[in-house]
Amino acid sequence: MKQKSWEGVRISTIKDIAEKLNISTAAVSKALNNKEDVSIELKNRVKKTAEEMGYLPNEVAQKLAKNRNNSIGVFVLGIEEVGAAGYFGFKFLEGIIDTANQKKYEIVMFSGKEGISYKKTCEEKRVEGVIFIGLRLDNKYIDDIKNIKVPVVVIDQKIESDNIIYVS
């Protein structure tokens, strides 16, 4: 039985469980996900074997299958201008992170360095929404922000666009 490794840790897969129980990977997946078309007996066998083998669900694969990654992008802009100690955005971050955790979302933080496309970054990271903290109205990428295809929240600046909400 082949097992994938990650930094010396042996990680069992659904395929490993299926081979050990001599059933299909689809049956293992259905059992682990409590699907109704799988008997309680099989669910129990699969779950017991998964636990014995140290199986952990592959979160990346699950997100790909669902075509959702439950992540929100947060662009933290302007820290270098005021210094981290005086940066008001950290107060917002605490609330954003707390709320995201309650809703089972992950936060992906971006620094917003010059020369990057906010829109392209959001698309590449597949975020489901984006929040901008510290955005200035003279930012040359404002039009880029207006073209982002997911919901956008801008803290402390009003930008007119159908996809943008602002909070002040």
Side-chain angles (χ1 to χ4, degrees):
M1 180 176 357
K2 290 183 182 176
Q3 291 184 319
K4 296 179 183 177
S5 69
W6 177 70
E7 294 186 26
V9 176
R10 294 171 61 97
I11 302 171
S12 295
T13 66
I14 286 178
K15 186 177 178 182
D16 297 329
I17 297 166
E19 287 175 2
K20 183 169 184 170
L21 295 175
N22 200 25
I23 60 176
S24 71
T25 56
V28 172
S29 178
K30 286 180 176 186
L32 291 172
N33 288 298
N34 281 321
K35 298 295 181 182
E36 292 179 13
D37 60 340
V38 177
S39 72
I40 292 173
E41 177 191 327
L42 182 58
K43 287 179 189 178
N44 290 338
R45 277 183 43 222
V46 168
K47 289 177 182 179
K48 183 178 182 219
T49 302
E51 188 174 327
E52 289 170 356
M53 295 178 72
Y55 169 78
L56 294 172
N58 183 332
E59 204 174 291
V60 173
Q62 289 174 339
K63 289 175 180 180
L64 283 172
K66 293 177 184 175
N67 200 22
R68 294 196 63 178
N69 69 3
N70 283 35
S71 66
I72 299 169
V74 178
F75 283 88
V76 181
L77 310 171
I79 290 179
E80 61 280 350
E81 295 168 13
V82 296
Y87 189 67
F88 78 97
F90 290 131
K91 296 286 185 200
F92 286 104
L93 276 176
E94 185 178 1
I96 291 166
I97 291 168
D98 287 346
T99 303
N101 286 337
Q102 290 171 13
K103 304 287 184 187
K104 305 274 192 261
Y105 274 79
E106 295 177 353
I107 298 296
V108 181
M109 297 204 26
F110 307 106
S111 63
K113 296 284 183 194
E114 277 291 314
I116 66 162
S117 164
Y118 300 138
K119 180 178 184 283
K120 184 176 179 184
T121 300
C122 290
E123 290 168 352
E124 287 174 349
K125 300 298 181 186
R126 308 278 196 279
V127 296
E128 295 181 32
V130 64
I131 300 169
F132 286 88
I133 300 172
L135 182 69
R136 293 176 33 165
L137 292 177
D138 63 351
N139 186 303
K140 64 183 177 182
Y141 298 104
I142 295 285
D143 286 335
D144 192 43
I145 294 168
K146 291 179 181 180
N147 292 315
I148 293 173
K149 302 286 188 236
V150 297
V152 176
V153 175
V154 177
I155 307 294
D156 239 16
Q157 296 293 347
K158 184 175 182 178
I159 298 174
E160 298 291 337
S161 183
D162 291 341
N163 69 321
I164 299 175
I165 298 169
Y166 78 97
V167 178
S168 65

